[in-house]
Amino acid sequence: AGHAWWGNKFSWTEPSGALCSEGFANYGTALMYENLFGEDAMRDFIEVSAQDYWPAGSIRGYFAMLRQGDEVPISQASGWQIHRVSLPKGTYFLQMLREKVGDEKFFAILRSLPILGNNLSLEELEAYFSDRSEMNLKVFFDQWLHRSGVPHIEMKWSVHNAQIDVPQTGGYRESVVAQWTESPKTVVVELLQKQEELYDLDIEVEIQYYYNPPIIRKVRFNEQTLNFEVKTEGRVKDVKLDPNRKILMWRPAYGPMPE
């Protein structure tokens, strides 16, 4: 059903055919899952495919190919790589693009693409999305479509409890009692990009509490290391990186990290 439009009726020039045929068609399947079963089901489909369906076309299958050393950038995919690279990675890219520009603009842009004709390059696709969304998307397109691999991000965090002034010792020390009376407390988070070439990411961090609803903070992460603090009002239980799976990056569920 997806190919009735993407890649058949509406064709593309190479090297964009890998994304704009297989990627868009498969993303249509992801949207179907979202509309029928909810957002989690859509993200599950992108990550592991559907039951009794082709698992190599999922992100987990993509990481298996990464570990074999057979991956190429989407912009260079051809032959069998169109399905093994552009189908899973391209689908995740389109979902990230949708979240970056917003649903209203994203779907309006998709519906208006035919005015460009039926032969379109990745550069033209980038320019059109940038113009219609009123955003400069060059870095975003470059890092996901013209580069191999994905980010590998390591997170460390700790809770800094309330401190009290102790003049007789010449400084501050942690106070068990002051934890209940001084507010807010602080969670210190450190993010590290472990791959060689850096990504420019807007990534979410979720602070989970024992007795209060969780809170989410979005941070710009375009350096090797990022340290930031989050003021809290409750007893912290855990901190989750990208809890809603909005960023394509390595996760333990995808298998061992590729070397």
Side-chain angles (χ1 to χ4, degrees):
H3 278 304
W5 181 254
W6 304 109
N8 290 348
K9 183 176 182 180
F10 192 24
S11 61
W12 311 81
T13 57
E14 295 298 337
S16 64
L19 170 69
C20 300
S21 175
E22 296 301 332
F24 270 114
N26 195 62
Y27 186 56
T29 308
L31 293 176
M32 178 200 71
Y33 269 85
E34 180 182 17
N35 279 272
L36 291 177
F37 309 116
E39 182 178 342
D40 284 344
M42 177 266 288
R43 297 189 186 277
D44 289 347
F45 169 76
I46 294 174
E47 289 191 331
V48 298
S49 188
Q51 188 173 4
D52 299 325
Y53 189 55
W54 192 51
S58 68
I59 288 298
R60 190 176 290 182
Y62 165 80
F63 270 89
M65 182 183 56
L66 261 179
R67 287 189 289 272
Q68 294 171 352
D70 295 330
E71 192 247 9
V72 297
I74 286 178
S75 62
Q76 299 176 23
S78 62
W80 63 269
Q81 294 165 330
I82 289 177
H83 289 85
R84 293 292 306 276
V85 177
S86 300
L87 197 151
K89 191 175 183 180
T91 300
Y92 216 125
F93 164 79
L94 291 170
Q95 177 61 23
M96 291 190 292
L97 178 61
R98 169 188 172 187
E99 290 163 355
K100 191 172 185 67
V101 304
D103 277 15
E104 183 177 355
K105 290 184 177 179
F106 177 79
F107 289 110
I109 293 170
L110 284 193
R111 294 186 185 100
S112 66
L113 277 176
I115 69 174
L116 299 178
N118 64 355
N119 288 292
L120 190 63
S121 68
L122 287 180
E123 289 71 23
E124 290 170 321
L125 185 69
E126 174 203 319
Y128 190 66
F129 263 93
S130 294
D131 179 64
R132 290 302 184 97
S133 66
E134 300 179 323
M135 301 173 68
N136 186 344
L137 297 171
K138 178 173 176 50
V139 172
F140 182 81
F141 271 70
D142 283 350
Q143 68 184 11
W144 295 112
L145 301 186
H146 302 293
R147 185 190 303 181
S148 298
V150 300
H152 179 196
I153 302 174
E154 183 179 274
M155 181 181 71
K156 299 177 182 178
W157 64 274
S158 61
V159 177
H160 287 208
N161 290 317
Q163 304 283 310
I164 59 171
D165 189 6
V166 187
Q168 61 268 31
T169 63
Y172 289 86
R173 70 176 183 181
E174 184 176 10
S175 169
V176 175
V177 176
Q179 290 182 39
W180 312 108
T181 58
E182 294 190 14
S183 183
K185 316 311 185 282
T186 302
V187 175
V188 177
V189 180
E190 178 185 286
L191 301 179
L192 171 66
Q193 294 198 41
K194 302 196 72 173
Q195 76 288 340
E196 184 174 343
E197 194 171 1
L198 298 180
Y199 283 76
D200 188 347
L201 306 170
D202 293 313
I203 195 164
E204 294 179 342
V205 174
E206 182 181 66
I207 312 297
Q208 297 180 348
Y209 298 109
Y210 282 97
Y211 306 111
N212 295 332
I215 61 172
I216 290 181
R217 292 289 182 267
K218 180 181 286 189
V219 295
R220 174 89 177 272
F221 187 24
N222 59 358
E223 308 167 80
Q224 194 82 54
T225 303
L226 175 65
N227 294 279
F228 62 95
E229 297 182 355
V230 180
K231 300 298 184 182
T232 72
E233 299 292 342
R235 303 179 200 175
V236 176
K237 181 178 183 179
D238 200 2
V239 179
K240 297 290 187 181
L241 180 64
D242 189 33
N244 297 311
R245 298 177 285 177
K246 293 185 177 182
I247 301 294
L248 173 54
M249 62 183 185
W250 176 77
R251 304 171 195 273
Y254 301 156
M257 177 63 196
E259 295 182 1

